[in-house]
Amino acid sequence: MSSATGQQHPIGLYLKVWGLLFFLSLLSYLVDYFHLQGLLRWSLILLFMVLKAGLIVAVFMHLAWERLALVCAILLPPLCLLVLVALMALEGEHTFLTRLEFFR
């Protein structure tokens, strides 16, 4: 009878990531605390959100230690969807501005 043992990551890695997640959450909170407005506010909020999500996926879901093919299979489809959504948003904005100009 053989015992299967998995790879163990040091607890210090998880503690560092938790600390970094706490720090990023603090920065996200400070964006609201200092009443930042406009594009700067939303850019910072989205940046901190993406950084936190990336850390969670990489470390706690163990994606940082997976094969590149698996990482691409998991991350590329949502990335393609985000690109398509951005293109649709740009096209929608162009259509809206064109209608405002020609149908006043």
Side-chain angles (χ1 to χ4, degrees), residues 83-97:
V83 168
L84 289 175
V85 167
L87 289 173
M88 287 188 292
L90 288 172
E91 182 183 4
E93 183 70 21
H94 171 71
T95 303
F96 178 71
L97 292 175

Side-chain angles (χ1 to χ4, degrees), residues 14-28 48-49 51-57 59-60:
Y14 293 109
L15 293 175
K16 289 174 189 172
V17 171
W18 283 334
L20 191 54
L21 287 171
F22 177 78
F23 179 69
L24 289 172
S25 295
L26 174 71
L27 291 177
S28 183
F48 296 142
M49 177 189 68
L51 288 174
K52 289 191 294 186
L55 274 172
I56 290 168
V57 168
V59 177
F60 294 115

